[in-house]
């Protein structure tokens, strides 16, 4: 079974803190994604990575950065957390050759106070 | 560019009622995939179904059924005899079969099933 794990299920941080959200997949997937999900707005793509050390901006990259140093791990970084980044964050991965088969992690509910 | 529209923001039904969730999509590609996901209150995204653009056959899985119509660019989802456990947010999504295409999601429909 493909497994996508996220480092925290719930996270509470203070405004201005640097926040790291980690995502790990165990199936050698080339592509990895970070989404945020807000009520009434659906899932919006923040960043994605085609492969190691590669990254592409999604629809809402402002205020975020990412890191992909190893194939299995994709990190989302909030350089200076703000209250409007309070959200559910979902990570996903897939093989390039099977782009119709995307696997999601359990999500991290981040609250910035 | 792709677009997915779920016009129904929230639907409330009483248990055992049938309910249909609408999904309309836009794409210029001829090869694409459509999806439905369920997100219960726990937040985890649960995959329900995938359909490719060449397969317009409707599908039934237990109480769930899906109606894919290319002529109207719709991929609607019906729950028959709804149950309280069906309460969740449901997302329709689309990806095209080219390059490094990404999933485009609709804004979701919140379904509330009351006893």
């Amino acid at each position: 079974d493909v497994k996508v794990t996220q480092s925290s299920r719930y996270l509470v941080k203070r405004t201005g803190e640097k926040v790291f959200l980690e995502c790990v997949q165990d199936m050698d997937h080339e592509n990895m994604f970070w989404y945020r999900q807000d009520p009434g707005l659906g899932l919006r793509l923040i960043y994605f990575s085609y492969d190691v050390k590669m990254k592409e901006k999604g629809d809402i990259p402002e205020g975020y950065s990412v890191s992909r140093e190893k194939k299995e791990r994709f990190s989302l970084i909030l350089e200076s957390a703000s209250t409007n980044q309070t959200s559910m964050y979902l990570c996903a991965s897939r093989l390039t050759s099977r782009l119709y088969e995307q696997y999601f992690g359990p999500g991290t509910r981040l609250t910035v106070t | 560019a792709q677009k997915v529209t779920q016009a129904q923001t929230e639907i409330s039904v009483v248990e055992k009622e049938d309910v249909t969730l609408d999904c309309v999509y836009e794409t210029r590609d001829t090869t694409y995939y459509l999806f439905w996901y369920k997100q219960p209150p726990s937040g985890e995204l649960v995959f329900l179904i995938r359909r490719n653009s060449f397969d317009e056959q409707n599908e039934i899985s237990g109480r769930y059924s899906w109606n894919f119509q290319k002529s109207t660019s719709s991929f609607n989802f019906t729950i028959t005899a709804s149950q309280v456990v069906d309460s969740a947010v449901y997302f329709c999504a689309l990806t095209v079969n080219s390059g490094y295409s990404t999933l485009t999601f609709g804004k979701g429909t919140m379904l509330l099933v009351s006893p």
Side-chain angles (χ1 to χ4, degrees), chain A residues 9 37 40 50 94 100 109, chain B residues 35 39 41-42 100-101 107:
Chain A
R9 197 78 175 86
Q37 195 250 315
Y50 296 136
R94 72 178 185 200
Y100 49 80
R109 285 193 191 274
Chain B
F35 305 80
Q39 188 181 46
S42 62
Y100 287 105
S101 174
K107 293 186 176 181

Side-chain angles (χ1 to χ4, degrees), chain B residues 11-79:
Chain B
I11 301 175
S12 292
V13 299
V14 177
E15 247 188 333
K16 297 184 184 175
E17 279 187 48
D18 298 347
V19 57
T20 295
L21 309 182
D22 297 332
C23 173
V24 174
Y25 63 92
E26 293 176 34
T27 179
R28 291 185 179 178
D29 285 67
T30 56
T31 305
Y32 52 88
Y33 297 89
L34 293 161
F35 305 80
W36 275 97
Y37 290 90
K38 174 182 179 180
Q39 188 181 46
S42 62
E44 195 156 348
L45 215 56
V46 178
F47 167 80
L48 295 178
I49 190 171
R50 177 183 71 230
R51 259 293 181 259
N52 75 54
S53 52
F54 298 109
D55 182 3
E56 280 194 80
Q57 205 166 13
N58 291 331
E59 179 150 342
I60 298 175
S61 176
R63 297 184 297 107
Y64 294 172
S65 62
W66 291 269
N67 184 332
F68 176 27
Q69 291 197 330
K70 284 174 81 169
S71 60
T72 56
S73 297
S74 65
F75 186 42
N76 296 336
F77 173 29
T78 298
I79 301 174

Side-chain angles (χ1 to χ4, degrees), chain A:
Chain A
D1 264 2
V2 175
K3 200 154 186 181
V4 181
T5 57
Q6 295 183 227
S7 50
S8 305
R9 197 78 175 86
Y10 299 93
L11 205 55
V12 180
K13 295 292 182 181
R14 293 195 181 274
T15 303
E17 276 192 77
K18 190 168 185 175
V19 181
F20 291 86
L21 302 184
E22 305 284 344
C23 175
V24 177
Q25 48 90 8
D26 64 359
M27 282 300 290
D28 208 35
H29 286 175
E30 298 97 351
N31 305 165
M32 295 187 75
F33 306 83
W34 275 107
Y35 297 88
R36 68 175 279 176
Q37 195 250 315
D38 301 288
L41 296 179
L43 275 80
R44 294 178 292 167
L45 184 63
I46 305 171
Y47 267 97
F48 59 105
S49 169
Y50 296 136
D51 213 327
V52 178
K53 297 192 186 295
M54 299 176 71
K55 60 185 179 185
E56 293 286 337
K57 292 181 180 179
D59 301 318
I60 52 165
E62 298 79 18
Y64 303 94
S65 62
V66 290
S67 172
R68 184 116 182 255
E69 295 298 316
K70 292 185 178 182
K71 195 171 189 178
E72 67 270 17
R73 187 181 297 269
F74 191 34
S75 303
L76 180 69
I77 304 157
L78 288 66
E79 294 289 341
S80 177
S82 63
T83 55
N84 63 13
Q85 292 178 308
T86 292
S87 187
M88 168 69 101
Y89 290 87
L90 288 153
C91 175
S93 71
R94 72 178 185 200
L95 287 169
T96 302
S97 58
R98 295 174 72 87
L99 55 79
Y100 49 80
E101 207 167 84
Q102 193 159 304
Y103 296 85
F104 284 86
T108 296
R109 285 193 191 274
L110 173 67
T111 302
V112 183
T113 61

